[in-house]
Amino acid sequence: MEDVTRFGVSMDRKLLGRFDKVCRRKGYTNRSEAIRDLIRDRLVDEDWSANGGEVVGTLTLVYDHETREVQDRLTGAQHEHHGTVVSSMHVHLDHHHCLEVLVLRGKPERVRKLADRLLAMRGVKHGKLVSSGTGKGL
Ligand code: NI
């Protein structure tokens, strides 16, 4: 069992009321779990902006595989950065479109740069980088 500390928080009643509503809507059974998630989210953001350690994230890409050389260019860039691309999944969405999900890991700047490069490629129609982590660094 992890070492747990209890602490009290004072806040505006209205603010807490709103927070409790959101917690209920999202299915939290108690405030502690919701507050822990908020703090973890903030710490993951810190890891991504600190650029000191490693981060992990997923990049979703939707592209038209009939666009000239898009598949080759995407694969080429991933091989070039094989140390950053941990894993990938490919789904054939329909006759024209592919969905790819990449798990990226490394220094934030490197991960962001690769994601931006892939997202900007001609033929890539939609995508997003989801910055994630444990909140305890990697
Ligand atoms: Ni495909």
XYZ file of all heavy atoms in Angstrom, residues 63 65 71 90-94 96-100, ligand 1:
118
model
N -5.794 8.939 -42.770
C -5.284 9.410 -44.063
C -5.880 8.628 -45.218
O -6.394 7.523 -45.057
C -3.753 9.362 -44.091
C -3.141 7.992 -43.918
C -2.857 7.189 -45.026
C -2.832 7.493 -42.656
C -2.291 5.940 -44.878
C -2.263 6.249 -42.499
C -1.988 5.472 -43.613
O -1.439 4.229 -43.460
N -5.129 6.593 -48.231
C -3.952 5.835 -48.670
C -3.726 5.938 -50.180
O -2.685 5.522 -50.683
C -4.035 4.370 -48.219
C -4.967 3.531 -49.021
N -4.553 2.738 -50.053
C -6.306 3.379 -48.941
C -5.599 2.125 -50.572
N -6.666 2.497 -49.923
N 1.642 6.660 -47.730
C 1.989 5.521 -46.881
C 3.512 5.373 -46.748
O 4.016 5.154 -45.653
C 1.393 4.236 -47.469
C 1.019 3.226 -46.428
C -0.360 2.630 -46.664
O -0.862 2.596 -47.788
N -0.968 2.161 -45.610
N -2.846 -0.397 -37.345
C -3.408 0.088 -38.600
C -4.797 -0.514 -38.797
O -4.991 -1.696 -38.650
C -2.484 -0.335 -39.751
C -2.875 0.233 -41.069
N -2.111 1.184 -41.709
C -3.939 0.004 -41.865
C -2.696 1.498 -42.842
N -3.810 0.801 -42.959
N -5.752 0.354 -39.130
C -7.119 -0.106 -39.401
C -7.536 0.418 -40.775
O -7.400 1.615 -41.044
C -8.109 0.419 -38.331
C -9.533 0.004 -38.657
C -7.722 -0.071 -36.951
N -8.043 -0.440 -41.646
C -8.554 0.004 -42.944
C -9.997 0.454 -42.732
O -10.888 -0.365 -42.566
C -8.502 -1.146 -43.957
C -7.160 -1.823 -44.015
N -6.011 -1.151 -44.330
C -6.802 -3.099 -43.775
C -4.990 -1.991 -44.299
N -5.445 -3.181 -43.956
N -10.191 1.784 -42.716
C -11.507 2.325 -42.361
C -12.555 2.073 -43.430
O -13.683 1.681 -43.146
C -11.397 3.839 -42.127
C -10.859 4.319 -40.790
C -10.923 5.838 -40.732
C -11.618 3.704 -39.631
N -12.198 2.377 -44.660
C -13.086 2.120 -45.792
C -12.211 1.920 -47.021
O -11.022 1.656 -46.893
C -14.102 3.276 -45.970
C -13.442 4.639 -46.136
O -12.329 4.696 -46.704
O -14.049 5.648 -45.725
N -10.924 3.995 -49.017
C -9.879 5.005 -49.208
C -9.057 5.314 -47.963
O -7.895 5.679 -48.069
C -10.503 6.325 -49.689
C -11.396 6.152 -50.878
N -10.888 5.972 -52.138
C -12.749 6.099 -50.974
C -11.907 5.823 -52.981
N -13.042 5.899 -52.304
N -9.694 5.196 -46.805
C -9.074 5.734 -45.601
C -8.485 4.690 -44.658
O -9.069 3.618 -44.465
C -10.091 6.583 -44.826
C -10.548 7.762 -45.602
N -11.756 7.796 -46.254
C -9.936 8.931 -45.865
C -11.881 8.953 -46.871
N -10.788 9.656 -46.653
N -7.364 5.079 -44.084
C -6.715 4.256 -43.071
C -6.667 5.054 -41.768
O -6.548 6.280 -41.789
C -5.276 3.945 -43.461
S -5.132 3.093 -45.036
N -6.736 4.335 -40.671
C -6.549 4.940 -39.353
C -5.318 4.291 -38.744
O -5.188 3.065 -38.771
C -7.766 4.662 -38.462
C -7.585 5.061 -36.998
C -8.303 6.352 -36.697
C -8.078 3.981 -36.074
N -4.424 5.121 -38.254
C -3.249 4.584 -37.597
C -3.144 5.178 -36.210
O -3.386 6.369 -36.020
C -1.988 4.910 -38.410
C -1.297 3.655 -38.921
C -0.129 3.942 -39.849
O 0.880 4.476 -39.383
O -0.269 3.612 -41.037
Ni -5.295 0.788 -44.604
